[in-house]
Amino acid sequence: MKDCCDLHTHSAYSDGTLMPAEIVAMAKEIGLGGVALTDHNTVAGLPELFRAAQGTGVEAIGGVELSTDYGEVELHLVGLFIREEHFDVINGLVAELDKRKDESNVALCQNLRQAGYDVDLDEIKAKTPKGHINRAHIASELLEKGYVQSIPEAFDYLLSKTGGFYPQPKRLDIFETIALLDKIGCVSVLAHPFQELDEPALRGFLAKAKPYGLDGMETEYAKYDDATVQRLKDIAKEFGLKESGGSDFHGDRRKGTSLGVGLGNLRVPKAFLNTLREGAKGV
C-alpha cells in the first residue's frame, strides 16, 4: 500500500483512542505511504506525529478538522500541510471555539443528569486527559453505563441536535476559515461532502467557497460506495477541486473502520497527496 495514504484520521488528542505515534506505527505496519492526523479543532498531537514518523518511511502530514458553520448547517473543513509555524494561528482560531464547546459540554451533561442519566463531565475528562471533549466522549460514557446500545444510538436520540439535551455551540464561519487557511499557505478540503449536504446544496456551496480558496474535497471516504465516489469525482473535476480522502479513523471508538482501508474498500492513492501538496505554500 505504499502507493496509498490516509488523509483523515483522529487520535486521542481529540476523539480517537490511539496516540499519534500508534497511528504512525499502524500506518507503517500496513504499508501506507503517508498519513495525516486531522484531530478535531486541535493541533496538539502534531508534534508527536512528526517525531514518530521520522525514519519510518511514512510521510506524516500535519492536519486539523475544523467545525464550521455554513448558515444553519455544520460543515467540517480539513486543513492539510500544517507546520509548526502555523500552530499559533490555528490555536488562536480555535481558542474561542474551545470555550464555546466547553460551555456546551457542561450544559449537555447537566441536561442529561436532570433527565436521570448519570454522566459526569469531570469523570469523562479524567478518562481522556489528552483529548478535547466532544459528544463522542459523552456517547461512549452513555454506552459504558448501559443507557444506549451503541454510539450511533446515542447520537440519534440523546445527543442529536434536535433532541433537546444538546445546546449547539456557535462555530467558525466556513468562508472565513477557508480564507485563513489559504492565507497561511495550508490546503483546505471539504470533509465527507454528502454528510450534511445533498448534491444541489453541495454545488451551491462549492460555487461560493471556491473564490475564498477552497482547494479540494474528499471524494474517497470510508462510507462511500463506488457510485458515490464517481459522482464526487465528477463534481470535483467540474469545480476544479483537488481530490482527497481518508478513513476517518478513530481507533476503537469507531469499530469496523480501519486505518487506510476504512470499511474494507477504501483506497486513497498517494497521487492525491502529491497533487494536494502542490497547493501548499512553502512545502
Side-chain angles (χ1 to χ4, degrees):
M1 293 183 67
K2 280 289 184 184
D3 60 344
C4 292
C5 60
D6 195 331
L7 303 179
H8 189 156
T9 74
H10 299 278
S11 78
Y13 280 92
S14 62
D15 57 350
T17 57
L18 298 184
M19 297 301 290
E22 294 176 295
I23 293 176
V24 170
M26 186 178 291
K28 181 180 179 181
E29 181 180 353
I30 65 177
L32 285 180
V35 64
L37 181 62
T38 57
D39 276 323
H40 293 285
N41 304 312
T42 181
V43 294
L46 295 187
E48 179 181 334
L49 179 84
F50 295 149
R51 290 193 302 270
Q54 292 177 5
T56 65
V58 177
E59 181 178 353
I61 301 95
V64 65
E65 184 174 7
L66 298 165
S67 303
T68 69
D69 279 330
Y70 171 51
E72 298 299 316
V73 178
E74 177 181 354
L75 296 181
H76 287 192
L77 188 71
V78 168
L80 295 174
F81 302 103
I82 295 172
R83 303 184 299 280
E84 187 174 354
E85 60 263 36
H86 301 141
F87 289 176
D88 286 346
V89 175
I90 301 298
N91 288 334
L93 183 66
V94 301
E96 179 61 28
L97 189 64
D98 287 343
K99 178 183 175 184
R100 297 173 196 163
K101 187 64 179 175
D102 286 342
E103 292 170 349
S104 173
N105 288 334
V106 169
L108 173 57
C109 288
Q110 287 176 343
N111 291 340
L112 288 169
R113 287 180 67 84
Q114 288 172 3
Y117 299 94
D118 182 21
V119 291
D120 186 285
L121 186 57
D122 289 335
E123 290 181 8
I124 296 171
K125 287 181 176 180
K127 295 176 183 177
T128 53
K130 295 285 188 182
H132 281 52
I133 306 300
N134 61 24
R135 283 182 293 166
H137 298 96
I138 298 171
S140 293
E141 187 77 358
L142 290 165
L143 176 62
E144 183 179 321
K145 294 193 173 182
Y147 294 120
V148 294
Q149 298 301 307
S150 67
I151 298 294
E153 180 186 337
F155 273 89
D156 287 344
Y157 172 46
L158 296 174
L159 306 181
S160 74
K161 297 172 184 177
T162 58
F165 296 110
Y166 171 57
Q168 293 186 60
K170 181 173 173 56
R171 290 171 287 268
L172 305 168
D173 176 83
I174 191 163
F175 299 123
E176 292 177 359
T177 306
I178 291 169
L180 178 61
L181 289 175
D182 183 67
K183 182 178 179 179
I184 64 176
C186 297
V187 168
S188 59
V189 172
L190 178 64
H192 33 69
F194 283 152
Q195 183 161 297
E196 297 290 348
L197 301 173
D198 60 18
E199 186 169 329
L202 174 62
R203 289 175 174 279
F205 166 74
L206 295 177
K208 296 174 184 176
K210 195 68 173 18
Y212 285 91
L214 182 68
D215 295 290
M217 71 175 181
E218 292 179 346
T219 59
E220 299 278 356
Y221 185 64
K223 296 181 180 180
Y224 290 165
D225 59 20
D226 291 345
T228 302
V229 169
Q230 188 57 55
R231 194 76 206 103
L232 287 170
K233 284 178 175 292
D234 292 342
I235 294 172
K237 183 177 181 180
E238 177 184 340
F239 283 88
L241 294 170
K242 298 178 174 68
E243 294 184 61
S244 186
S247 62
D248 207 354
F249 177 70
H250 282 70
D252 289 341
R253 202 177 302 280
R254 192 167 291 183
K255 294 183 184 298
T257 301
S258 300
L259 186 71
V261 296
L263 301 177
N265 61 342
L266 178 72
R267 295 292 185 277
V268 181
K270 198 174 180 187
F272 282 13
L273 171 58
N274 296 333
T275 301
L276 287 162
R277 188 189 291 107
E278 294 171 1
K281 301 170 187 175
V283 174

